[in-house]
Amino acid sequence: MKKLAQLLILLSINFIFAQFQNVTVKNTAINSKYAELGVIYLPNGKVLFASSQKDENDKTFSTNRRKQNSQLFLDLYYGIETNNGNLILDSKFTNELNNKFSESDVTFTPDFKTIYFTWNNFYNTESRKDSANWKTQHIVKASVNENFEISNITYLPFSSDKYSVKNPFVNSKGTQLFFVSDMPDSFGETDIYVVDIYKDGTYGIPKNLGSKVNTKGVELFPFVDANNTLYFTSNGQAGAQSFDIFKSTFENNSYSKIEQLPSPFNTEFDDLAFVINKQLNAGYFTSNRKDGIGDVDIYSFSTKEKEKEKIVICEQIIKGLFINEKTNENLDNVEIAVYIDKQLIDKQLINLGNPYSFKLNCNTIYKIISKKENFKPNEFEIKTGNVSGTLNKNIKLSPIECNQTITGLIFDNNTKALINNPKIQLFKNNEAINSQVVATGNRYTFNLDCKENYKMLITNEGYEPFEYSFTTSNINNDILKDFHLTPVECLGNISGLIFDKSSGKQLDNVIASIYLNNKLVTSQNVAIGYKYNFNLNCGNTYKIVFEKEGFNTSEEMIISPQENKFQIPKSVSLSPTKCVQLLDALVINAETGLPLKNATIKIYKINTLIDSLNLGESSKFNYELNCNTNYRIVASLKNYTNAVEILTTNQIQNDQLFRKFNLEENIEFIAVQNQKQIKTKPIYFDLDKDDIRPDAAIELTKVVDILNKYPTIKLEIKSHTDSRAPDGYNMQLSNRRAKSVISYIISKGINESRISGKGYGETQLMNRCSNGVKCSETEHELNRRTEFVVIE
């Protein structure tokens, strides 16, 4: 049995190699220094392929690139197949699908009326463990016309934001769609699936191709030929060195036997995206193997069987080298193209020392055009004879001569007069190559090379040196450039910090202005931590003015020395000008009148907190307040309701103010006439008014705080008056006041569904004081009330 198994394995290997005997693999002309990958066959000898040519930042493709850059965004291009299997760039496919392609993920139905392609869900991706490197991908279906313009884009029903589906491929009958996905039932990172395409446009249930095809690794790029043979890419199959190409025949309704393609298809590098034309025994695959031109290249292949089918009646070969006509040296990076009747039939990019070579038909007129940057194009026609043979023809290209000069005069920047004997040095790529000393009135002149980096250094005694850097263009040009040198001046510096004279602390945002002859020279806004800093000319008298709001303006007179580069350190102190008053305050229990310790005092200017005090064991505090200022002072203590004092200081300097802060024990709810209510102080309104007064706002804020603390309770607002007005008037007034209270609470963010209420006028008096009954003011006050009844 062991020998039989070994024999079967040997036969299997021989069969694989027999299929691909004498394989010729070529790097196609389509490749660039960027990434080209994937080929899709189109009618009339055209193909589609993907390229990252637009991305200047795309770095070298490496073995681990798919891990590091799983979203290599590409554009699709048309290519033309030549007779020898080469590919020539034709044009860009379409911008309609330019929505972050991740591979050459396009496939067509056999009638080329429907296209399937992968579309990144780039803007609507749920958080995934790999979302930083991979966005969810969907396969979409669209209609396509003869110009390959798409319409009616729809997502396939098995696409999901939870996993990706990509790499679509429709079989030759248009009855099945193969694709790659990381669905939950995958064996590895990505598996190959197949789904039936029904005639009515619906789809079957996606099926995983099973554990023979799919591994714990990555499977990609399914391609199925006309014989239903599956070719795919994997890094998890046995024998895979990295990403390799495998095949599997369809037997007994499944893909079970897996075969690794031999060399030269597979190498130690990444080899992937295999497609084949069985009629021609030729095709293409993608690889980042060592001999590539760019990041990753498209390679063509053909087999001996294909070559046998060729019937060559007459064929001629033209070949040769590219020569610099001026130096007779070989040229690098020359593009050569062959045309028949203005139709491009082949193109090559030739590297240094390599010959070009084209196979031409006999008895045919060709035009051959060679191009290289900074060289004149070479164009000639050739008519092939009627006998097969080889024509050796070296092509000479003439460099485009490019000469430039720079010339100009040197002036004094202040007087605008010409300077005598300035020295001009010329540097090329930071190396000195020439210098001139120019007499008064004469121009300097230098000859320059094109497309080079230069620097000029202009010096003269008594002047500041001047540097000028520039890069020459690639065309003949005469540059006229004058220079203006600044005389060396006698200069010095004064600098220092600015302090508050009363506190000794450094000040922030001080305006420092310097004057010369009573004219402003410049100003600075000096921030805390920085010094004012002014440059001074020698032998002058300056005035420096320091200004800050709330401080007296300070002026400093400075006579600068005659010595060059002098330094004057001088710090300045400003005296505050503010008017202050002293607040003397006491925190007490509102009910007992006893002092309360450990209170916290917060002091606001309008609504901005400016200070916070913790009284500790004391119940008193003193605080210095600015004159003519509005303050809000809040005293708080645990288990007590905050006491708020609205205070406006006057203009009297050092005036003393005394305030008591009465804190009430924080009882949130009370029962009144068997109704649960929020406890508040009386809500007072001005006579015949319904506006919320500041003192009423304090109490309403307590109500809002309780509603926020207990988010499920609902309130009914009941507004009452006493009996000392007509009944109807009292009813209307209480209604308006109830609505004002409700509006105020809702304005503080409480949902209106939690607040209801109305006015009751004098219909629910708390005592005997009805119409005509003589009562005290205290008794009437008991009836004038607003109640916050908990109803739910």
Side-chain angles (χ1 to χ4, degrees):
M1 285 299 292
K2 184 176 181 181
K3 291 184 177 180
L4 178 60
Q6 291 174 339
L7 179 61
L8 289 174
I9 293 172
L10 181 61
L11 289 173
S12 173
I13 294 173
N14 289 336
F15 176 73
I16 297 172
F17 276 81
Q19 284 186 300
F20 296 105
Q21 287 182 349
N22 298 323
V23 175
T24 300
V25 172
K26 297 178 181 178
N27 192 306
T28 61
I30 209 77
N31 295 313
S32 68
K33 65 180 180 179
Y34 302 99
E36 281 75 32
L37 66 153
V39 171
I40 300 103
Y41 287 111
L42 299 177
N44 303 321
K46 285 192 173 184
V47 299
L48 278 180
F49 70 98
S51 175
S52 67
Q53 292 183 33
K54 66 177 181 178
D55 188 356
E56 291 291 344
N57 297 317
D58 196 16
K59 303 299 180 184
T60 303
F61 187 91
S62 65
T63 302
N64 292 325
R65 178 169 182 163
R66 295 184 180 277
K67 297 178 183 177
Q68 299 165 353
N69 186 11
S70 57
Q71 293 206 28
L72 173 61
F73 300 134
L74 308 168
D75 282 336
L76 290 175
Y77 293 83
Y78 284 116
I80 300 174
E81 283 193 283
T82 65
N83 292 335
N84 60 2
N86 205 349
L87 290 178
I88 302 172
L89 176 65
D90 185 16
S91 61
K92 203 167 185 178
F93 178 50
T94 173
N95 286 327
E96 290 185 72
L97 304 185
N98 187 10
N99 188 36
K100 295 187 172 9
F101 276 108
S102 58
E103 308 288 356
S104 178
D105 268 9
V106 174
T107 186
F108 297 89
T109 54
D111 60 4
F112 284 92
K113 292 183 179 180
T114 302
I115 182 174
Y116 294 87
F117 58 92
T118 302
W119 215 347
N120 283 357
N121 186 17
F122 192 76
Y123 300 102
N124 183 27
T125 304
E126 293 186 9
S127 176
R128 299 176 48 175
K129 65 182 180 181
D130 59 346
S131 62
N133 296 317
W134 189 272
K135 301 299 180 185
T136 308
Q137 297 170 302
H138 295 164
I139 295 177
V140 297
K141 169 187 176 183
S143 301
V144 61
N145 62 19
E146 62 274 8
N147 296 321
F148 290 100
E149 297 170 335
I150 65 169
S151 60
N152 304 323
I153 297 177
T154 57
Y155 286 94
L156 296 192
F158 45 85
S159 290
S160 172
D161 288 342
K162 304 294 185 182
Y163 53 81
S164 288
V165 285
K166 61 175 186 172
N167 292 166
F169 182 82
V170 177
N171 67 357
S172 60
K173 296 179 181 179
T175 58
Q176 288 184 316
L177 175 68
F178 292 78
F179 62 91
V180 168
S181 179
D182 57 348
M183 289 181 178
D185 64 344
S186 299
F187 291 93
E189 293 184 42
T190 56
D191 286 6
I192 299 176
Y193 289 76
V194 64
V195 64
D196 291 330
I197 304 174
Y198 299 133
K199 292 182 179 180
D200 61 359
T202 60
Y203 301 88
I205 298 174
K207 300 175 184 177
N208 189 299
L209 291 190
S211 60
K212 297 292 185 181
V213 171
N214 296 310
T215 67
K216 293 182 179 179
V218 175
E219 277 69 46
L220 297 168
F221 301 114
F223 174 84
V224 180
D225 66 15
N227 297 328
N228 222 14
T229 299
L230 169 68
Y231 296 88
F232 65 98
T233 300
S234 175
N235 67 357
Q237 289 286 347
Q241 301 179 68
S242 50
F243 278 102
D244 279 359
I245 302 167
F246 294 82
K247 63 175 287 187
S248 178
T249 55
F250 190 72
E251 298 176 356
N252 299 322
N253 293 321
S254 68
Y255 292 101
S256 56
K257 184 179 179 182
I258 310 300
E259 302 167 354
Q260 185 177 21
L261 297 194
S263 175
F265 296 103
N266 286 319
T267 65
E268 61 182 304
F269 300 94
D270 286 334
D271 306 291
L272 45 110
F274 179 94
V275 298
I276 186 170
N277 185 328
K278 294 295 287 185
Q279 294 179 339
L280 300 177
N281 284 320
Y284 303 92
F285 64 93
T286 301
S287 178
N288 68 339
R289 57 190 58 187
K290 204 170 186 178
D291 61 350
I293 294 175
D295 288 356
V296 59
D297 290 355
I298 296 173
Y299 290 81
S300 67
F301 70 87
S302 60
T303 67
K304 186 175 181 181
E305 293 177 354
K306 174 186 173 183
E307 294 173 356
K308 287 180 180 178
E309 294 176 4
K310 294 182 180 178
I311 302 176
V312 180
I313 299 174
C314 181
E315 185 177 77
Q316 294 191 2
I317 297 175
I318 183 171
K319 64 181 182 179
L321 298 172
F322 289 103
I323 307 295
N324 184 323
E325 189 172 43
K326 186 174 181 179
T327 64
N328 285 323
E329 296 176 341
N330 290 337
L331 293 176
D332 190 19
N333 292 324
V334 182
E335 181 184 280
I336 182 169
V338 180
Y339 297 84
I340 298 179
D341 295 331
K342 299 182 180 180
Q343 179 69 40
L344 177 68
I345 63 167
D346 207 349
K347 182 168 65 174
Q348 297 176 3
L349 181 66
I350 306 303
N351 296 325
L352 182 65
N354 293 330
Y356 73 90
S357 178
F358 293 105
K359 292 181 180 180
L360 308 178
N361 295 328
C362 295
N363 296 316
T364 306
I365 297 175
Y366 293 90
K367 178 181 285 187
I368 299 178
I369 301 175
S370 303
K371 296 179 181 179
K372 176 175 172 59
E373 188 176 7
N374 298 324
F375 283 76
K376 297 177 182 177
N378 183 296
E379 181 178 324
F380 65 90
E381 286 191 351
I382 182 173
K383 182 177 181 180
T384 54
N386 57 6
V387 179
S388 296
T390 299
L391 172 63
N392 292 306
K393 182 176 177 61
N394 292 338
I395 299 175
K396 293 186 176 183
L397 298 182
S398 299
I400 298 172
E401 297 293 340
C402 182
N403 297 306
Q404 297 189 19
T405 62
I406 186 169
T407 185
L409 298 168
I410 313 298
F411 295 92
D412 184 301
N413 192 46
N414 292 343
T415 67
K416 311 305 178 188
L418 290 167
I419 294 176
N420 189 34
N421 297 326
K423 182 179 180 180
I424 303 98
Q425 292 177 278
L426 180 67
F427 297 80
K428 179 180 177 181
N429 296 323
N430 292 321
E431 292 187 9
I433 60 172
N434 205 345
S435 68
Q436 296 177 8
V437 176
V438 184
T440 304
N442 291 340
R443 291 179 175 274
Y444 73 88
T445 301
F446 293 109
N447 294 321
L448 307 173
D449 295 326
C450 295
K451 297 188 70 175
E452 293 289 351
N453 298 316
Y454 288 96
K455 180 177 72 175
M456 296 175 66
L457 175 62
I458 303 96
T459 57
N460 192 270
E461 185 177 357
Y463 290 87
E464 298 287 348
F466 185 83
E467 286 189 6
Y468 174 66
S469 298
F470 62 101
T471 301
T472 52
S473 64
N474 60 355
I475 59 175
N476 292 332
N477 190 22
D478 293 323
I479 304 170
L480 180 61
K481 181 67 178 177
D482 295 335
F483 294 100
H484 297 77
L485 299 188
T486 302
V488 175
E489 296 181 331
C490 180
L491 295 173
N493 176 271
I494 184 170
S495 64
L497 299 170
I498 307 171
F499 296 97
D500 183 331
K501 192 171 184 178
S502 62
S503 68
K505 295 181 179 179
Q506 190 178 352
L507 292 176
D508 192 18
N509 294 325
V510 180
I511 303 299
S513 304
I514 185 167
Y515 294 81
L516 178 63
N517 299 325
N518 290 321
K519 291 184 178 180
L520 177 66
V521 178
T522 187
S523 293
Q524 299 173 357
N525 189 331
V526 184
I528 192 168
Y530 291 88
K531 297 180 179 181
Y532 75 90
N533 191 313
F534 293 113
N535 292 324
L536 309 178
N537 291 318
C538 299
N540 286 300
T541 300
Y542 292 92
K543 179 175 68 175
I544 305 178
V545 179
F546 302 89
E547 299 172 288
K548 178 174 173 60
E549 184 180 356
F551 287 80
N552 295 317
T553 299
S554 175
E555 294 184 2
E556 299 286 341
M557 301 302 296
I558 304 295
I559 299 176
S560 57
Q562 294 291 348
E563 298 83 18
N564 193 23
K565 298 182 180 178
F566 61 84
Q567 297 286 332
I568 302 176
K570 187 173 182 60
S571 294
V572 177
S573 295
L574 303 185
S575 299
T577 59
K578 66 180 181 179
C579 168
V580 297
Q581 297 180 356
L582 185 64
L583 171 64
D584 186 10
L586 177 66
V587 181
I588 62 173
N589 187 309
E591 293 180 6
T592 66
L594 296 175
L596 292 175
K597 300 178 182 180
N598 297 312
T600 298
I601 309 299
K602 292 189 177 181
I603 302 171
Y604 296 81
K605 274 189 180 179
I606 307 176
N607 290 321
T608 302
L609 178 66
I610 62 170
D611 207 350
S612 181
L613 311 174
N614 193 329
L615 301 187
E617 292 298 312
S618 177
S619 60
K620 296 181 180 180
F621 69 93
N622 303 101
Y623 196 85
E624 188 175 85
L625 304 176
N626 293 331
C627 299
N628 294 321
T629 306
N630 295 321
Y631 291 91
R632 180 164 60 91
I633 304 174
V634 180
S636 60
L637 184 62
K638 187 176 180 181
N639 297 325
Y640 285 82
T641 302
N642 293 352
V644 180
E645 179 72 22
I646 306 298
L647 189 151
T648 301
T649 55
N650 55 34
Q651 298 180 356
I652 302 174
Q653 175 77 354
N654 296 325
D655 193 17
Q656 283 195 312
L657 307 174
F658 180 78
R659 293 290 187 275
K660 284 185 179 181
F661 290 82
N662 298 294
L663 302 186
E664 294 182 351
E665 289 188 71
N666 190 13
I667 301 174
E668 295 177 334
F669 300 97
I670 59 175
V672 179
Q673 294 183 341
N674 295 323
Q675 289 183 327
K676 183 178 180 181
Q677 299 182 12
I678 294 177
K679 181 184 178 182
T680 64
K681 291 181 181 179
I683 306 297
Y684 291 113
F685 293 89
D686 291 331
L687 180 65
D688 197 31
K689 300 287 186 180
D690 54 42
D691 299 321
I692 302 299
R693 297 186 352 181
D695 55 346
I698 294 172
E699 298 305 307
L700 292 179
T701 299
K702 298 177 184 178
V703 175
V704 171
D705 291 341
I706 292 174
L707 287 170
N708 285 324
K709 183 177 179 180
Y710 305 101
T712 60
I713 68 172
K714 295 182 179 180
L715 296 182
E716 179 186 6
I717 311 302
K718 293 183 175 183
S719 182
H720 305 272
T721 67
D722 59 26
S723 62
R724 294 182 297 177
D727 293 356
Y729 170 84
N730 282 338
M731 184 62 74
Q732 292 177 0
L733 178 62
S734 62
N735 260 322
R736 294 203 313 270
R737 290 176 173 175
K739 290 179 180 179
S740 292
V741 171
I742 292 171
S743 297
Y744 180 91
I745 293 174
I746 292 173
S747 73
K748 299 304 179 183
I750 302 302
N751 192 296
E752 62 182 355
S753 65
R754 300 176 61 193
I755 307 297
S756 63
K758 65 179 181 177
Y760 289 85
E762 56 185 271
T763 62
Q764 295 184 4
L765 299 175
M766 296 290 290
N767 53 28
R768 62 186 180 83
C769 300
S770 59
N771 289 340
V773 178
K774 187 176 181 179
C775 293
S776 67
E777 182 59 32
T778 302
E779 290 175 304
H780 283 301
E781 186 176 285
L782 185 61
N783 291 319
R784 295 196 306 272
R785 68 196 187 279
T786 299
E787 299 172 326
F788 302 88
V789 181
V790 178
I791 59 174
E792 185 176 338

